[in-house]
Structures are given as structure tokens and as C-alpha cells.
Amino acid sequence: MKKVTISALQKQKQNNQKITALTAYDASFAMMFDEQGIDVLLVGDSLGMVLNGQDDTLQVTVADIAYHTRAVRRGTERAFVIADMPFMSYASAQDSYQNAAQLMAAGASMVKIEGGRWLCDTVTGLVQRGVPVCGHLGLTPQSVHVFGGFKVQGREKDKAQQLIDEALALEAAGIQLLVLECVPTELATRVTSALSIPVIGIGAGRFTDGQILVMHDMFGISANYMPKFSKNYMADGGTLRDAVKRYIDDVHAGDFPSDAHSFE
């Protein structure tokens, strides 16, 4: 199977072919997801919660992400691998350059950072230095204490317009992918239509260019809780591989997420 590239993901958006993504943290699961045909693997700072049992993602370090990125890369032949930049690892542009270099050296094809317009100069600087960037808007878990918890974002009219404006600014600065988390379906649809780059949703409705889930949520084994936007694909039985295939098929068919997994 042909290796997934950013150009291939862009073509999927243009051809209205849904992008499938999962988090992965080790070689074994990465290999299984890869063999089933997943498009994107994210080495997420969610590992702090699902692997270490922490209450949030804030204690995860660059060294943690680099370690798991190396493992995921070893198990991957086809999928596009993205590595999260942890909390405060891109507080300044210079910090972002040094830390992104570590994650790219570990095997990432792209890094992901959370935040809006304030990151535009950092995004441009990273891209100029050869580091592809994925943005992340909506519920950005590293800002959980600013939000006062894990809450849906962009429900108010002014906040929705601000999110759209920030997405456009990030695209102009150079991001090539955008993750939208926990925003109303209608807002996610507007953002997806406004951007020329692929938009991958989690709790953002079915009309984004693709979907991503935390693998532990998809298998129904998260140590914390099952988010509204997730679905336990092991609930109907079968093997782990069967669950991954059902997820991929549902995303391709537009059956996941349903209204029950989305926000209005």
C-alpha cells in the first residue's frame, strides 16, 4: 500500500474521501492499525491520561513523546505519523524549534501544537525550518485550567467567529492539517468549508474531512471515562482488528460520528 503523505491527505479532502486517524503509543498497536489501513497515527499527549492515569495531559514531556514516537514509527509502514508537542514545549519560537527537531528525529512526519493566532509566527518559523505543522483548535486539552474543565468550545456566536478567524490565520501561517476538538457540528462544518487544508474532527460532527479517536476510548478501556464523542467499537464483540475495521468503515461511510457523538 502506498505511504500516506500530506499530499495524499490533501487529495482525500479534494476528493471527499474521509481521513481516518487514531492515537498510537507503541509498535504493536501501530502495526495493527497500519495493517488495517488507518491513514494517520497521532502520538498524543493523551498518553498522560490513558497510559499513566493522570487527570490531564500537562505532565507529559518531550522525552515521553519522543520515546513513544520512536516506537510507533518502528511499527508503521504506511500511515502518516504526527507527534504532539507537549505543554509549554512551544512557549517560545526557539523552544518550538528545538523540541520539534527532537520529535522529527524520533520519526514524526509532522508535529501538532494547540492554540490560535498567537502561534502564527511559530508555525511560520517551523515550516521555514522544514517542520510540517498540524494545528489544534476548539477544546485544547493543554488549556484545560483556562477553560475550567473539558468543555465544548465555540457555542457563542462571537467565539465561533473567533475560532474560524484563528483557523484561517493558522492556515495562512503554514499549517497543513487542523484538528478540531469538541465544537458544535455546524461550526466544524463552517471551518472545514473555509479551509483548503484537511480538517480532522474529534467531537466535531460528521462533516469534517476526517475523524480521530483515542485508541483506548475506541476499545472501551480508558482509565478515566468514556467521552460523549467516542464509541466503544469492542461493544459488539470480535477482535481488536475487527473493531479497527468497523471504525474505519463507519468513518468512510459517514456513519461515525452520529448525532449521539456530536454537539449542537
Side-chain angles (χ1 to χ4, degrees):
M1 301 176 74
K2 285 188 68 174
K3 191 171 181 63
V4 178
T5 63
I6 189 62
S7 297
L9 296 174
Q10 181 69 52
K11 189 172 182 180
Q12 284 183 246
K13 178 184 175 87
Q14 294 166 354
N15 293 338
N16 294 315
Q17 297 172 341
K18 293 291 187 180
I19 296 165
T20 58
L22 285 169
T23 63
Y25 313 98
D26 64 35
S28 297
F29 278 106
M31 184 178 297
M32 181 176 68
F33 299 159
D34 199 49
E35 289 171 346
Q36 294 303 309
I38 207 79
D39 296 314
V40 176
L41 294 176
L42 170 66
V43 184
D45 59 4
S46 50
L47 67 88
M49 301 175 75
V50 298
L51 296 188
N52 296 334
Q54 296 163 359
D55 292 332
D56 52 44
T57 66
L58 304 186
Q59 298 178 55
V60 176
T61 67
V62 174
D64 293 333
I65 298 291
Y67 173 88
H68 290 279
T69 298
R70 284 191 290 271
V72 168
R73 173 54 69 191
R74 292 187 192 107
T76 305
E77 292 187 5
R78 174 185 174 273
F80 189 76
V81 177
I82 304 174
D84 260 341
M85 297 276 285
F87 179 62
M88 295 300 286
S89 66
Y90 48 97
S92 71
Q94 194 60 43
D95 287 341
S96 75
Y97 304 154
Q98 295 173 351
N99 292 321
Q102 292 186 51
L103 300 183
M104 296 295 286
S109 297
M110 174 178 275
V111 299
K112 181 169 74 65
I113 57 179
E114 299 181 6
R117 195 185 301 272
W118 69 274
L119 283 171
C120 285
D121 289 343
T122 295
V123 169
T124 299
L126 284 167
V127 173
Q128 288 173 341
R129 287 158 178 80
V131 179
V133 181
C134 174
H136 186 154
L137 290 173
L139 172 58
T140 47
Q142 293 174 16
S143 300
V144 60
H145 295 307
V146 175
F147 295 148
F150 295 97
K151 300 178 179 180
V152 180
Q153 302 296 307
R155 279 184 161 147
E156 301 84 0
K157 185 176 180 180
D158 60 332
K159 297 295 186 181
Q161 187 59 53
Q162 179 183 346
L163 191 147
I164 294 170
D165 292 343
E166 292 197 327
L168 289 167
L170 287 170
E171 181 181 39
I175 66 166
Q176 293 175 285
L177 281 176
L178 178 68
V179 170
L180 270 185
E181 182 169 355
C182 285
V183 299
T185 297
E186 188 270 339
L187 173 57
T189 304
R190 290 171 63 193
V191 173
T192 303
S193 298
L195 300 187
S196 62
I197 60 172
V199 176
I200 298 176
I202 178 166
R206 72 184 71 186
F207 301 112
T208 53
D209 299 307
Q211 300 294 328
I212 185 167
L213 285 179
V214 173
M215 56 167 279
H216 292 69
D217 293 344
M218 185 193 68
F219 291 141
I221 57 172
S222 285
N224 298 289
Y225 74 102
M226 179 67 71
K228 167 186 167 70
F229 54 71
S230 191
K231 178 178 179 179
N232 179 4
Y233 274 91
M234 290 297 294
D236 294 329
T239 67
L240 296 176
R241 287 176 172 80
D242 294 334
V244 177
K245 186 177 186 304
R246 284 195 291 268
Y247 167 66
I248 291 173
D249 289 346
D250 279 359
V251 173
H252 285 165
D255 294 331
F256 179 82
S258 67
D259 290 343
H261 306 108
S262 306
F263 301 100
E264 300 301 329

